[in-house]
Amino acid sequence: MMPDTEQQLRARLGPALDELQLRPAPLAAIVRDGRKAKVRKRISLAASLAAGAAVVTAAALTLPSVLSGPAPAPPLSTHYHVTANSPGPLSPPGQIASGKINGVAWSVRAKFERPDYFFTGIGTFIPQGTSLPGRYTTGDPVDGFLTALAGTAIQLDAVRADVTLVRVGLTNGQVLSLRPVAAIGAGNARLIAFATPDFRDVLSLTAFGKQGEIGYEIPWTGHTWFMVGQWLKPGQPALPRPQTAVTGSGTAFGHSWRQLVSSGPWGWCGEGDIDGGGGAGVCAAVLPALRPGVYYQDAGFAGGSVIGKSGLIMSAQVADSVAVIEFTTRSGQHTWVRPRRVGGRAFVSFASTTDAKAPQTVIRWAAYDGHHHLLGSGSAEQAP
Amino acid sequence: MERDGSGSRDADFSELVFSRWPKLVRLAYGFTGDVGLAEDLAQTALANAYAYWSRLRRADDPDRYLIRILINTHRSSFRKRRLAESLSGMWSGEHASALTADPTSAVDDRGAIITALAGLPPRQREVVVLRYWLDLTEAQVASLLDCSVGTVKSQASRALAKLRLSPELQEWGSR
């Protein structure tokens, strides 16, 4: 490395970071979130101890036979009641919406704090980023702007200029009606906000204009986030039908983990789940099919959740002919995983590490067909 | 007694939050290139620190502990954010252009380096910010990132090579 280059980098990086203007530390929100994290930590510790004991017993009985199917996803309750109200004449300035979830009040408000807006929701700041949705006259009727998980799931969306009403369908059968609000100035997009117990409680968004329904969309909803996807015309079937599969699960580095892959009108989405608390997720509108002769390909959209300090969930798309994948770690341990199908594609997910030199790091895969014939093999190490 | 203990704990924690907030947000800004995301990461990291407060208080080096929490928080979220940013144009697009559009050259310079950093893979970004902004040694960076010193050297070397070629920093070679 050239010393002058390092000096130039230091000289440029210093001002760029040191002179950044900051808002004050949101102490109350940090302490409140910290208390919740402390409770979650206790719960997950108890769960992982129980899961760890179960896996040790099971491993002694089943290895090296093929690992059995992953655990099913726990069902979400539909016993909740949500209200969402547009601001009235006595509402505080900047109010976008307010309501109750099972009797507990929530509200989202835009507050101008020079030089920018911040969005308060359930008593906390929603980090606003640096770009407001500007004048919004073309594009999808509703565009996801911000999501926050502050005890409940909050969604804040920008709405196209010709949309007068948005209806949100929920899993409990309720339909929320939201009127867009010009809360961040006439030069910027109007906004809607709503809150639900969980992002996965949202089934659909339907936009209406002066002439009636403009379109609708089926969002992808995960444990910790939500994505407004492809908009459909009124009456147009939402295809392909949404499907979700657990493509891998287990216990690694003292934590239980699962990887979910979904397909639907939005394309493909993956989300990890560590100790039942969610994880990283990524979506892709299009997932290219594997070429003939390719049996295994990293599915970058589906992985990425970190397990503990250095564990990592990784996922791959595999060919239809693959019946089982054998993974080998750097220390020589073998694991066999059956692919799971979702949306006509087959996937496997497994636990590896972020440290390429760790003994637990998965370094090789080998694909076998239903007759235990080797189809192919290769390196499973993540790209640096 | 319990209330007294909790009050003392909260007072100590408040002091930690106010004293470390600027550093954590700036570090996260280097990782993400976005002020809002940086504040989100710092807020989450400090909330996690609250959950592990008793361990943090006993730590020989609380700052190192906090940075580890921030890095873990960043890693567990960067893939999700990469998607969100690519959808909304925030990643090195609107945000960086907002910086580079500033009429003063100083702000142009700041925008350029942040835009260039945004072009690096997350791991290399972490190495660059820890090594060249926090001025940590290669061994300290390796310890924070749970990797070898050799990995830090190679990641830094690749990052520097990429930064030299980035359009935002093309004048490096001629300086």
Side-chain angles (χ1 to χ4, degrees):
Chain A
M1 199 181 301
M2 299 288 288
D4 62 332
T5 307
E6 289 185 314
Q7 283 167 13
Q8 285 176 16
L9 183 55
R10 281 195 176 93
R12 286 185 162 210
L13 206 49
L17 298 181
D18 293 336
E19 293 169 24
L20 184 67
Q21 290 191 343
L22 306 175
R23 68 179 168 107
L27 178 64
I30 289 170
V31 170
R32 196 204 51 243
D33 292 348
R35 287 184 176 141
K36 285 180 186 164
K38 202 173 173 188
V39 172
R40 279 200 304 272
K41 185 182 80 169
R42 286 178 183 150
I43 293 170
S44 67
L45 179 63
S48 59
L49 284 174
V55 166
V56 167
T57 310
L61 295 173
T62 61
L63 289 176
S65 61
V66 176
L67 293 178
S68 59
L76 275 179
S77 169
T78 56
H79 296 290
Y80 61 88
H81 188 263
V82 175
T83 61
N85 306 312
S86 300
L90 298 179
S91 298
Q95 178 117 321
I96 299 166
S98 63
K100 289 187 175 181
I101 299 176
N102 297 329
V104 178
W106 65 270
S107 71
V108 175
R109 192 150 67 97
K111 287 175 69 179
F112 185 66
E113 295 193 5
R114 192 174 295 276
D116 226 332
Y117 280 96
F118 291 102
F119 295 91
T120 61
I122 315 190
T124 187
F125 280 101
I126 300 175
Q128 185 265 322
T130 54
S131 53
L132 290 170
R135 192 173 294 278
Y136 188 14
T137 55
T138 59
D140 289 337
V142 178
D143 193 16
F145 173 42
L146 282 173
T147 58
L149 192 61
T152 58
I154 305 169
Q155 173 79 11
L156 185 62
D157 295 323
V159 178
R160 204 172 64 195
D162 59 331
V163 175
T164 56
L165 179 72
V166 179
R167 290 206 169 121
V168 181
L170 304 179
T171 53
N172 66 352
Q174 278 189 264
V175 178
L176 306 177
S177 293
L178 308 167
R179 296 200 179 277
V181 178
I184 51 174
N188 285 311
R190 294 169 308 145
L191 303 173
I192 57 169
F194 59 95
T196 50
D198 193 291
F199 288 119
R200 292 168 292 181
D201 296 326
V202 181
L203 288 179
S204 65
L205 272 71
T206 308
F208 296 84
K210 286 181 180 169
Q211 308 300 321
E213 183 180 336
I214 295 172
Y216 77 106
E217 73 102 28
I218 308 294
W220 179 80
T221 58
H223 195 294
T224 55
W225 62 303
F226 172 111
M227 196 187 79
V228 178
Q230 186 186 353
W231 279 81
L232 306 166
K233 293 174 183 167
Q236 183 183 350
L239 297 173
R241 290 174 64 84
Q243 289 182 12
T244 298
V246 180
T247 55
S249 68
T251 301
F253 307 100
H255 298 266
S256 63
W257 67 271
R258 293 190 310 153
Q259 176 68 39
L260 295 94
V261 175
S262 305
S263 72
W266 54 77
W268 300 84
C269 293
E271 186 182 43
D273 183 8
I274 310 299
D275 294 331
V282 178
C283 290
V286 178
L287 184 66
L290 296 184
R291 295 191 312 276
V294 175
Y295 297 99
Y296 178 102
Q297 189 165 289
D298 176 53
F301 78 94
S305 292
V306 174
I307 311 168
K309 285 185 177 176
S310 58
L312 183 72
I313 302 177
M314 297 184 70
S315 297
Q317 185 186 180
V318 301
D320 288 346
S321 54
V322 175
V324 66
I325 293 274
E326 177 189 22
F327 291 109
T328 307
T329 64
R330 186 169 295 285
S331 64
Q333 279 200 317
H334 301 275
T335 307
W336 290 264
V337 181
R338 289 189 205 279
R340 303 287 293 189
R341 292 186 69 81
V342 57
R345 305 285 176 84
F347 300 90
V348 290
S349 297
F350 56 97
S352 185
T353 79
T354 55
D355 180 359
K357 293 187 176 172
Q360 305 97 325
T361 300
V362 173
I363 57 169
R364 285 198 72 75
W365 60 268
Y368 297 87
D369 66 13
H371 304 287
H372 308 294
H373 295 139
L374 179 66
L375 296 171
S377 63
S379 167
E381 287 183 278
Q382 65 171 134
Chain B
M1 287 297 287
E2 191 178 332
R3 184 177 294 175
D4 289 342
S6 173
S8 165
R9 167 204 172 103
D10 283 358
D12 290 351
F13 185 73
S14 303
E15 190 182 330
L16 177 99
V17 167
F18 289 124
S19 61
R20 305 307 201 280
W21 172 256
K23 183 178 177 180
L24 288 178
V25 175
R26 289 181 170 123
L27 190 57
Y29 180 55
F31 291 166
T32 64
D34 183 276
V35 181
L37 294 180
E39 289 179 341
D40 190 16
L41 275 182
Q43 183 170 331
T44 305
L46 283 166
N48 288 335
Y50 184 92
Y52 291 91
W53 179 234
S54 58
R55 204 183 297 174
L56 184 62
R57 283 176 108 168
R58 293 196 305 269
D60 293 331
D61 186 351
D63 282 314
R64 180 182 178 280
Y65 202 95
L66 271 176
I67 293 170
R68 276 296 291 265
I69 294 175
L70 184 79
I71 289 168
N72 287 340
T73 309
H74 173 234
R75 286 182 176 178
S76 67
S77 62
F78 74 75
R79 281 174 186 258
K80 184 191 303 182
R81 289 187 171 132
R82 189 167 55 196
L83 168 84
E85 287 147 0
S86 68
L87 290 175
S88 68
M90 281 167 64
W91 186 266
S92 75
E94 291 181 30
H95 173 59
S97 61
L99 283 171
T100 51
D102 192 289
T104 67
S105 61
V107 173
D108 279 349
D109 213 31
R110 292 203 296 270
I113 187 68
I114 296 301
T115 305
L117 271 183
L120 298 178
R123 184 73 169 258
Q124 289 181 17
R125 238 179 287 148
E126 289 171 354
V127 168
V128 165
V129 177
L130 294 170
R131 183 88 178 89
Y132 300 111
W133 180 61
L134 280 189
D135 264 336
L136 300 179
T137 65
E138 286 169 341
Q140 287 170 323
V141 175
S143 167
L144 280 169
L145 298 181
D146 252 342
C147 65
S148 67
V149 171
T151 301
V152 172
K153 285 178 190 283
S154 65
Q155 294 283 329
S157 175
R158 285 180 200 175
L160 265 285
K162 278 188 188 174
L163 288 173
R164 287 175 73 91
L165 294 174
S166 70
E168 293 82 9
L169 303 175
Q170 273 297 300
E171 73 278 27
W172 266 22
S174 58
R175 279 192 180 184

